[in-house]
């Protein structure tokens, strides 16, 4: 599906160039040399549109906001994280087993390779890192498809190297499927999802050791606890600002929903409920519930059918950032003035 989307996008670009319309210049496109040009906003291509369903969305996104393409030419972008120490964004390209770095000052640069699979044999078409985040000490933590673990990069974030410390690799002696996305609680515990997307045969891969798709917690002592195995394809994950609610996206085409759980004092979860349902939109729009970012007011910016859904803490759908691409994940910069979006072969942003 990802290759098909790529070909469609390529055909559209060729058509635009051949119909008498001068194509806009994108000086930040991925190339073999990672050439960097002028990075002023005027030079970025624009994509898609923003659908305002409720006027309240104007309190979060200006009416004249644009979706800017910061870089392109990737295979499948995922897992963006803003790193204040670098004043830059890091994000995964899962098929390329690589992490890139992007900043306004320096544009696009290689950052880490390999990122998710450290072996030397063919593994799958999605071997790399997926979700990225920072721990309390500012170290990079990666959901690694190929290595089938949650891991910490051992080198300083300013001097990356592909050496990893395992944080969680198995549950009750059985290896995870392919850790997908993670969030850190303020006490240092990690909560993460484990669908089968990194396995060569997906859910039918013979190397699978667990017969379910779990949501887990790994505490600061390394103890792994299964929180729920009720979801068929748990994917994106996030906390409400007060950490009393855990949100989990379910990226199953048969049941495309966002779930909410109450977080108990002991860190476990209860009161499972549907937070928002994307079934109707999934009939006409590409994409499934996937990654998410939660702002300081508790609004969810959740990737789903059509792009990025903006949902209030009560689950009301205010509108959608319609990227025009299958949209994987998103994150804010430090002051939440920018939303960065990974969508198929693109890195995008919207100024908030």
């Amino acid at each position: 599906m990802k290759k098909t989307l790529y070909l469609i996008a390529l055909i559209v670009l060729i058509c635009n160039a051949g119909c008498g319309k001068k194509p806009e210049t994108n000086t930040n496109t991925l190339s073999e040399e990672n050439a960097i040009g002028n990075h002023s906003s005027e030079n970025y291509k624009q994509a898609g549109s923003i659908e305002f369903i409720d006027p309240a969305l104007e309190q979060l996104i200006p009416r004249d906001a644009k979706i800017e393409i910061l870089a392109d030419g990737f295979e499948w972008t995922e897992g963006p994280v803003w790193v204040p120490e670098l004043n830059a964004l890091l994000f995964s390209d899962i098929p390329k087993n690589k992490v890139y770095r992007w900043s306004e000052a320096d544009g696009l640069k290689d950052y880490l390779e390999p990122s998710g699979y450290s072996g030397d044999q063919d593994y799958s078409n999605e071997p790399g890192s997926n979700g990225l985040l920072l721990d309390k000490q500012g170290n990079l933590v990666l959901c690694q498809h190929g290595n089938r673990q949650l891991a910490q990069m051992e080198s300083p974030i300013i001097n990356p190297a592909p050496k990893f410390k395992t944080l969680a690799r198995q549950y009750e002696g059985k290896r995870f499927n392919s850790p997908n996305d993670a969030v850190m609680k303020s006490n240092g515990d990690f909560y993460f999802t484990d669908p089968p997307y990194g396995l060569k045969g997906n859910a039918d891969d013979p190397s699978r050791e667990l017969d379910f798709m779990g949501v887990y917690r790994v505490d600061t002592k390394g103890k792994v606890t299964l929180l729920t195995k009720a979801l068929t394809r748990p994917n994106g994950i996030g906390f409400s600002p007060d950490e009393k609610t855990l949100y989990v996206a379910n990226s199953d085409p048969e049941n495309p929903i966002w779930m909410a759980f109450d977080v108990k004092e002991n860190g476990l979860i209860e009161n499972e409920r549907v937070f928002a349902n994307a079934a109707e939109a999934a009939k006409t729009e590409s994409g499934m519930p996937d990654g998410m970012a939660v702002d300081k007011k508790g609004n969810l910016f959740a990737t789903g059918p059509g792009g990025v859904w903006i949902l209030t803490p009560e689950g009301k759908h205010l509108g959608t950032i319609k990227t025009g691409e299958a949209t994987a994940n998103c994150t804010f910069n430090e002051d939440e003035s920018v939303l960065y979006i990974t969508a198929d072969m693109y890195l995008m942003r919207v100024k908030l």
Side-chain angles (χ1 to χ4, degrees), residues 105-118:
D106 299 322
L108 183 71
K109 291 186 175 182
D110 293 346
Y111 181 79
L112 182 69
E113 185 180 17
S115 66
Y117 178 55
S118 304

Side-chain angles (χ1 to χ4, degrees), residues 113-235:
E113 185 180 17
S115 66
Y117 178 55
S118 304
D120 55 8
Q121 304 291 324
D122 286 341
Y123 184 74
S124 76
N125 61 355
E126 294 192 10
S129 61
N130 193 325
L132 307 174
L133 65 159
L134 304 179
D135 67 14
K136 295 185 73 172
Q137 291 73 41
N139 299 305
L140 182 64
V141 173
L142 310 92
C143 294
Q144 295 188 313
H145 275 192
N147 292 342
R148 296 170 70 172
Q149 66 178 3
L150 185 70
Q152 174 198 311
M153 185 176 71
E154 292 186 319
S155 60
I157 203 156
I158 61 173
N159 187 28
K163 295 182 179 180
F164 307 106
K165 172 186 175 182
T166 298
L167 300 177
R169 186 180 180 87
Q170 59 186 20
Y171 173 68
E172 293 187 343
K174 296 181 179 181
R175 294 190 66 187
F176 297 128
N177 300 307
S178 54
N180 184 284
D181 200 6
V183 63
M184 188 187 70
K185 204 164 182 277
S186 59
N187 67 352
D189 292 351
F190 294 104
Y191 290 61
F192 66 96
T193 58
D194 186 41
Y197 299 129
L199 298 173
K200 187 173 184 179
N202 208 292
D204 298 322
D205 195 279
S207 71
R208 275 191 68 197
E209 298 180 17
L210 294 164
D211 61 0
F212 58 86
M213 319 293 173
V215 179
Y216 299 90
R217 180 191 69 175
V218 54
D219 65 21
T220 55
K221 296 180 179 180
K223 180 183 177 181
V224 177
T225 302
L226 175 65
L227 299 174
T228 180
K229 58 179 180 180
L231 300 181
T232 50
R233 290 294 186 277
N235 200 314

Side-chain angles (χ1 to χ4, degrees), residues 264-334:
K264 300 193 291 185
E265 289 187 8
N266 63 3
L268 302 183
I269 60 176
E270 62 181 358
N271 190 22
E272 171 188 326
R273 58 199 182 274
V274 174
F275 179 72
N277 194 320
E280 285 301 314
K283 294 177 182 178
T284 57
E285 302 274 10
S286 65
M288 285 286 113
D290 201 327
M292 66 180 72
V294 184
D295 71 14
K296 294 174 183 177
K297 295 182 179 179
N299 299 296
L300 271 70
F301 287 68
T303 62
V308 182
W309 291 39
I310 298 90
L311 303 165
T312 68
E314 296 73 38
K316 185 177 183 180
H317 186 193
L318 299 181
T320 304
I321 300 170
K322 301 177 80 83
T323 64
E325 304 291 337
T327 307
N329 213 329
C330 59
T331 196
F332 303 108
N333 65 343
E334 193 170 11

